[in-house]
Amino acid sequence: MIWYSESTEGIAPENLEGFFVGWPSPPSPETHLRLLRGSAAVVLARDGEPSQDGPVVGFITAVTDGVLAAYIPLLEVLPEYQERGIGGELVRRMLERLSDYYMVDLLCDTDLQPYYERFGMHRATGMLARNYDRQSGRPG
């Protein structure tokens, strides 16, 4: 059974195995937990019963100024759990949580834009900078 939570309480690094597939230098599960806890908002998808500490199988994060703007930097679902609607439910729940902000931004590759349009998001252009040598995360 998949269930959803907006809290990192009870999450341990061992609940976060298998994410960041294809990243040359992925964050460790310990760093992943730090980034979840450092986010202004998080929604987690977990497998098992809510009374158990089952693995996290998907997550979405947001950062915000708390007034006007929010940004969704990460959405991931473990490969073996994809195509089950989990990612869509994570996006839906996060957009609902951020619905009182003026702007909610998200950058994605062009081929993913139709996916996010399903949730009422619009295509836009943007700029970005990436420090790929820091892809595994800032030192704790």
Side-chain angles (χ1 to χ4, degrees), residues 7-131:
S7 169
T8 60
E9 187 176 332
I11 301 293
E14 55 268 17
N15 299 121
L16 298 170
E17 298 288 339
F19 288 101
F20 306 102
V21 174
W23 286 41
S25 181
S28 68
E30 292 78 14
T31 300
H32 185 177
L33 184 55
R34 281 182 33 229
L35 81 83
L36 292 174
R37 288 183 175 156
S39 297
V42 63
V43 183
L44 307 174
R46 299 187 75 177
D47 193 2
E49 295 296 323
S51 60
Q52 301 170 343
D53 290 333
V56 174
V57 300
F59 71 94
I60 189 169
T61 60
V63 294
T64 176
D65 62 14
V67 181
L68 292 176
Y71 174 67
I72 298 174
L74 294 169
L75 167 66
E76 291 220 18
V77 176
L78 292 176
E80 61 270 26
Y81 286 86
Q82 292 176 4
E83 304 298 325
R84 297 187 194 181
I86 295 170
E89 184 63 16
L90 290 168
V91 172
R92 187 192 69 71
R93 287 172 182 250
M94 183 59 78
L95 290 176
E96 174 63 28
R97 189 160 174 194
L98 301 174
S99 64
D100 57 347
Y101 285 91
Y102 163 66
M103 65 178 94
V104 177
D105 296 340
L106 177 150
L107 287 174
C108 65
D109 293 335
T110 330
D111 61 322
L112 293 174
Q113 289 176 332
Y115 178 80
Y116 291 104
E117 286 175 330
R118 298 182 337 187
F119 303 99
M121 299 187 91
H122 305 278
R123 294 174 192 239
T125 57
M127 303 298 293
L128 58 89
R130 294 286 187 266
N131 298 313

Side-chain angles (χ1 to χ4, degrees), residues 24-26 130-139:
S25 181
R130 294 286 187 266
N131 298 313
Y132 288 105
D133 62 327
R134 301 299 329 145
Q135 191 175 44
S136 60
R138 275 181 66 214

